[in-house]
Amino acid sequence: MRSSLIACLALVPWAACTQQPLNDAKHRATPTLESSSYRDQLLSLHKQLVSIPSISGDENAVGNFLVDYLTARGYHAELQPVAARQGTPTSKQRFNVLAWKGERAPSARIVVSSHIDVVPPHIPYSISPGEVTSETMIKGRGSVDAKGSVAAMIVALEQLHASNAIATQDDVMLLFVVGEEVAGDGMATFSHSLSKMKKPPKFDAVIFGEPTENRLACGHKGGLFCSITARGVPGHSGYPWLGKSANDLMVRALAKILDANLGSSELFGNTTFNAGRFDGGVAANVIPEKAVVQFAARVATGPEDKGHEVVAERIQRILHQVDDEAFEMDCTHGYGSVKCNCEVDGFEKITVNYGTDIPNLAGNHTRYLYGPGNILVAHGARENLTVADLEEAVEGYQKLIVHALTQ
């Protein structure tokens, strides 16, 4: 029976400050690689990964596939249990997958990591008909975010092992986690397991796989994820002065928040605010007693551990200005802007606005963020990338692994 990972390791003025890529993507040509020696392996692995549904909370099948795939290729693969998400079947075990060459407990210097969960709904795998070329397009949920990274990472490491480019087999570990798309509970579980060890491993570097258009990210914005509740006094809509509309209060507050300076920086641009969901009232002719907004702010300022707190304080002040009694804000989690190492020869640079598992892994390691595909098509109905994107990512991950090992 497969043992757990823990047991194994126990062995406005600011409106002009918009974020821009560090290189102009409009002038970046897609490479037209000749067919690589590993193309068949890469496309087959990618197809199998994308074809297996793995919406956050139900990642069991794709995790088991990876364990079998890696074990068959000489890896020692371990499972690390992760608690079931509320509202999902508890009969299906959730787990992270950790794998390395060799049988002994890993003493890895480098961790290569991405996530195996995806957002809903599942979209079947498809590939453009005809002869496969570098421009052939592949579609399906997770084809970009982030099973493209997972496939390219595995093939990249396989190529390095085959060419004996890694002196010690267990210098590099693969870590594939669950739950990144929701709250990062997979990476948080892995990080917590390390903190409980008497002698936790000290990684030199961790390479995180996310869609960066095969450019090396200098970092990403932080996040603040909260709900705001406004409470009013219900009544007949014909006599609004006799009640207090929670919806009116919320609309006024949101307008002020959207116009406010929530923080900006030269690298990441503005902090942005998205009111993703608004629920208020019971009927058109009733003064609403309660309104609730769920929001996600993308935090452009640091430090990583406290930057989000500044944004929360600024929002809270606005709520008090609108009404000092009506509002309550409840935040689930947050973090400030995240910086990564992007000073590696041979890579174009970028900054991104989305969140990653980087802040969920504690430690004083160098952090790299890189992967195939464009975030603008991820999470959408037409999530896609090309064969060239995947092959370029294999080459990029090899460069990053070798670079990290030589530092």
Side-chain angles (χ1 to χ4, degrees):
M1 182 176 180
R2 297 165 179 146
S3 59
S4 73
L5 170 61
I6 296 175
C8 166
L9 289 181
L11 305 166
V12 203
W14 53 91
C17 182
T18 56
Q19 180 187 0
Q20 298 293 336
L22 299 188
N23 287 84
D24 190 347
K26 294 180 181 177
H27 302 293
R28 184 171 183 271
T30 302
T32 54
L33 301 175
E34 297 295 330
S35 179
S36 61
S37 60
Y38 51 77
R39 176 175 287 180
D40 289 345
Q41 177 193 1
L42 175 63
L43 296 188
S44 174
L45 174 57
H46 186 245
K47 178 179 180 179
Q48 291 175 89
L49 289 169
V50 176
S51 297
I52 301 173
S54 60
I55 292 168
S56 300
D58 191 11
E59 307 97 339
N60 179 278
V62 75
N64 278 318
F65 165 78
L66 275 174
V67 171
D68 293 340
Y69 184 92
L70 293 169
T71 301
R73 284 155 181 79
Y75 288 84
H76 188 88
E78 295 291 342
L79 312 184
Q80 179 182 47
V82 177
R85 282 188 58 212
Q86 188 174 1
T88 59
T90 57
S91 59
K92 290 188 176 181
Q93 181 191 21
R94 300 179 71 211
F95 52 84
N96 298 328
V97 176
L98 176 66
W100 65 94
K101 289 281 189 177
E103 286 297 321
R104 65 189 183 91
S107 55
R109 296 174 50 205
I110 312 300
V111 176
V112 181
S113 180
S114 191
H115 61 94
I116 55 177
D117 66 311
V118 300
V119 299
H122 175 66
I123 300 174
Y125 175 95
S126 66
I127 187 168
S128 298
E131 181 185 0
V132 174
T133 70
S134 61
E135 303 304 316
T136 296
M137 182 177 290
I138 301 169
K139 299 179 182 179
R141 177 61 77 230
S143 57
V144 171
D145 189 11
K147 293 176 179 179
S149 289
V150 173
M153 286 173 162
I154 291 172
V155 173
L157 189 55
E158 282 285 272
Q159 293 294 305
L160 291 176
H161 282 306
S163 63
N164 295 316
I166 299 176
T168 305
Q169 281 193 330
D170 56 4
D171 269 352
V172 182
M173 291 192 302
L174 295 169
L175 172 65
F176 300 123
V177 300
V178 299
E180 188 274 344
E181 294 289 3
V182 178
D185 49 343
M187 186 63 79
T189 297
F190 175 72
S191 184
H192 183 62
S193 73
L194 301 180
S195 69
K196 296 193 298 183
M197 298 178 184
K198 291 183 178 179
K199 292 184 178 181
K202 294 182 179 179
F203 309 126
D204 293 341
V206 181
I207 300 169
F208 294 86
E210 292 282 359
T212 68
E213 304 169 48
N214 286 325
R215 292 185 281 179
L216 195 56
C218 297
H220 64 78
K221 286 184 175 180
L224 176 67
F225 305 91
C226 311
S227 63
I228 301 172
T229 301
R231 300 188 184 278
V233 178
H236 194 288
S237 63
Y239 303 86
W241 56 88
L242 297 180
K244 186 176 184 179
S245 170
N247 284 358
D248 287 358
L249 291 169
M250 187 67 78
V251 168
R252 290 191 177 98
L254 291 178
K256 287 182 175 291
I257 293 169
L258 290 168
D259 287 340
N261 177 3
L262 299 178
S264 60
S265 64
E266 183 178 355
L267 181 60
F268 295 108
N270 293 331
T271 294
T272 58
F273 179 92
N274 180 64
R277 183 167 182 174
F278 191 132
D279 294 313
V282 294
N285 63 345
V286 177
I287 298 171
E289 181 179 17
K290 180 181 177 182
V292 179
V293 160
Q294 296 174 342
F295 75 82
R298 299 297 175 175
V299 180
T301 56
E304 187 176 316
D305 61 340
K306 293 184 180 295
H308 64 292
E309 295 178 2
V310 175
V311 177
E313 289 169 3
R314 293 184 181 186
I315 293 173
Q316 191 68 65
R317 283 201 298 270
I318 293 171
L319 298 178
H320 282 304
Q321 290 169 7
V322 174
D323 189 299
D324 60 4
E325 295 181 344
F327 293 99
E328 178 182 339
M329 186 165 70
D330 180 36
C331 298
T332 57
H333 60 291
Y335 52 94
S337 56
V338 175
K339 292 184 178 180
C340 302
N341 187 317
C342 59
E343 298 302 325
V344 181
D345 291 341
F347 290 91
E348 295 182 23
K349 301 176 185 179
I350 194 174
T351 56
V352 296
N353 293 349
Y354 54 79
T356 73
D357 263 330
I358 292 174
N360 293 323
L361 179 57
N364 188 29
H365 47 266
T366 301
R367 307 182 298 190
Y368 302 96
L369 178 59
Y370 173 87
N374 191 318
I375 192 63
L376 299 182
V377 299
H379 296 200
R382 297 187 67 255
E383 185 171 352
N384 68 84
L385 78 177
T386 66
V387 171
D389 293 331
L390 286 172
E391 292 182 321
E392 184 183 1
V394 172
E395 304 298 323
Y397 283 126
Q398 290 186 73
K399 291 178 185 177
L400 286 175
I401 292 169
V402 171
H403 172 82
L405 287 170
T406 58
Q407 297 306 296

